[in-house]
Amino acid sequence: MDRSTAVTRVQRDLGFKTTLSTEIVDALKDSQSELEKDNFLPWFLQSEVTSAATVDGEERVALPTGFLREWTDDGLWYYDGTAAVDERWTLLVKDDIEFLRGLYPGEGKPVAYALDPSYFRIFPTPDEAYTLKMIFYKADTVLSSDVENKWLEHAHELMIGEAGMKIAGPVRDEPAMEIFQSMSNRGRARLIKATEARMEEQRRYVMGGED
């Protein structure tokens, strides 16, 4: 579903209005921004494996563009393509900046990291350029043009419901508010269920541990 279709759906449930297009677009953008700040983030915001490089003598590595949060099932890895195949990936330990700075003084290969609002901070301080890799939750394309982003592709009911409530409230349309609230609730429940189902796929659960 592209942006213009989403706008039309909101207008329809407001009584087949043909106005408020600009306001509805703004509401869709605001809704996406708010959803991407939720504690729950959906499966489709997981990025591909993304690489970054350290700088000699600098502990900071800028967060990737669109970084929202670390992926629950993964972390930050040091990748050495010249090492033996079974030694190329090293998962870095995560802890507080002050603790790691005291534990790993000096320079060397990455062992651990801390996360602040703008940077990964690597410890010990890298003594050359090292490759780091990770999967993370990434902000989706903003609906600044008439496109279909991942939110409208996979969770259009939630997006339309959230945006519709932002419009129905100010225009004092109580019946439409109820419609959009119900739509939002259904969409959120479906999205959570779909995300949980994907997380459970292919996992083996062994009672008492593996033999």
Side-chain angles (χ1 to χ4, degrees):
M1 177 183 293
D2 56 23
R3 190 187 73 178
S4 60
T5 303
V7 169
T8 300
R9 295 285 179 86
V10 174
Q11 291 173 322
R12 180 194 66 187
D13 290 330
L14 285 168
F16 293 94
K17 288 184 180 293
T18 58
T19 58
L20 302 174
S21 296
T22 299
E23 290 81 1
I24 295 171
V25 168
D26 288 342
L28 286 166
K29 292 179 182 178
D30 289 345
S31 296
Q32 177 180 331
S33 178
E34 291 163 7
L35 289 167
E36 290 179 347
K37 293 180 176 68
D38 272 358
N39 290 331
F40 167 81
L41 291 176
W43 61 269
F44 56 78
L45 294 184
Q46 292 171 11
S47 72
E48 299 293 333
V49 177
T50 300
S51 297
T54 65
V55 175
D56 183 5
E58 173 59 72
E59 72 180 25
R60 298 175 302 171
V61 175
L63 298 180
T65 301
F67 182 90
L68 295 173
R69 198 160 69 224
E70 293 174 283
W71 182 30
T72 308
D73 289 348
D74 205 2
L76 185 63
W77 298 78
Y78 160 48
Y79 179 79
D80 182 359
T82 65
V85 174
D86 60 347
E87 298 177 351
R88 290 181 179 177
W89 295 85
T90 301
L91 181 62
L92 304 187
V93 176
K94 183 181 180 183
D95 216 311
D96 296 330
I97 294 175
E98 291 185 7
F99 174 76
L100 293 177
R101 189 166 286 141
L103 187 62
Y104 298 106
E107 298 186 351
K109 290 184 178 181
V111 176
Y113 76 104
L115 178 65
D116 71 20
S118 299
Y119 300 97
F120 295 114
R121 293 184 178 268
I122 311 302
F123 300 95
T125 299
D127 58 356
E128 60 179 86
Y130 295 103
T131 298
L132 306 177
K133 290 180 179 284
M134 77 175 311
I135 298 172
F136 60 96
Y137 288 104
K138 183 177 182 179
D140 195 14
T141 302
V142 178
L143 293 170
S144 299
S145 59
D146 188 16
V147 297
E148 177 184 63
N149 66 4
K150 292 178 182 178
W151 283 104
L152 290 182
E153 179 183 1
H154 300 289
H156 65 268
E157 193 171 37
L158 175 57
M159 282 282 283
I160 291 170
E162 289 292 307
M165 285 191 288
K166 295 181 186 300
I167 303 299
V171 300
R172 305 294 191 270
D173 190 333
E174 291 298 328
M177 178 66 80
E178 293 180 6
I179 290 172
F180 290 124
Q181 179 69 71
S182 177
M183 189 180 299
S184 174
N185 291 343
R186 288 196 309 270
R188 187 180 298 274
R190 287 174 180 168
L191 184 57
I192 291 173
K193 185 175 181 180
T195 299
E196 290 176 345
R198 284 175 172 266
M199 291 174 64
E200 296 302 316
E201 285 177 356
Q202 303 302 321
R203 290 190 176 182
R204 288 181 64 235
Y205 296 93
V206 182
M207 185 176 294
E210 294 191 19
D211 294 336

